Amino acid sequence: MCGRFVQLPIRNADTLGFPQLVGDLMSIPESYNLAPTQRASVILDRGTGLQVTRLSWGLLPFWAKAKKLQGSTINARIETVATKPAFRSAFKKRRCLIPMAGYYEWSVNAEDGKKDPWFIHAARPLLAAGLWEDTSPLLEPDNLGTFTVITGDSSGVSADIHDRMPVWLTAGQADEWLAAEPDEAMAMLLASEPPAMEAYRVSRAVNTPRNNTDALLQAI
């Protein structure tokens, strides 16, 4: 799964492939420990072209009766994203990309049995495939909606730490991903090739969401 990630301003958005979003991507708020239900910057299209919007992590479908559902909808498994009731409507027509500077996964320490966090990242900003929903009456009045991160089997260094990872797409696939028919969108997910990534262990301070400084990215 993906349960914490890092978002930082993207200062080379033009070379990344989003010249129309340079200002918005440079203005992404720094967050070194984004946790479920918190707001994150998401790239989507509401029918007027690509935009960057702040949404709450944990997708709430229109029929949700309780906010606590967010705890189980932070990730959508690629195997069931097109059919699971919480995600199938959004998968048809409300897809998004979530910029990440990296994300965290945990391994169990053999000495004390506690969980050690690892920071997994690439040389360039990452774009996770996701889904979004419009605002819900269960959330604050100023909330613009919710999102989930699509996950699949891990590969590369990630597989040494956890068996799941976000499904990665590229900026060049953005327009197609957002507008594709469901079968085409699934084909894109299945054909996803993760970039070369690195991982190193970081402080257990990551385990507490209120800890949110750049010190969390220091290797130990």
Side-chain angles (χ1 to χ4, degrees), residues 4-6 32-33 103-106 118-119 202 206 216-217:
R4 302 281 179 81
F5 65 93
V6 177
Y32 297 91
N33 198 8
Y103 70 106
Y104 299 105
E105 280 298 353
W106 284 259
W118 295 73
F119 180 58
V202 292
V206 170
L216 297 180
L217 300 187

Side-chain angles (χ1 to χ4, degrees), residues 155-175:
S155 62
V157 297
S158 300
D160 296 331
I161 304 167
H162 197 274
D163 62 351
R164 305 290 293 184
M165 69 186 296
V167 177
W168 308 111
L169 297 176
T170 67
Q173 295 175 294
D175 290 329

Side-chain angles (χ1 to χ4, degrees), residues 186-197:
M186 179 56 69
M188 293 178 70
L189 295 178
L190 294 174
S192 169
E193 294 186 6
M197 304 181 80

Side-chain angles (χ1 to χ4, degrees), residues 92-114:
K92 291 178 182 178
K93 53 188 175 183
R94 288 182 296 279
R95 299 181 213 105
C96 63
L97 292 167
I98 304 100
M100 297 185 185
Y103 70 106
Y104 299 105
E105 280 298 353
W106 284 259
S107 64
V108 177
N109 188 296
E111 295 181 2
D112 60 13
K114 296 182 179 180

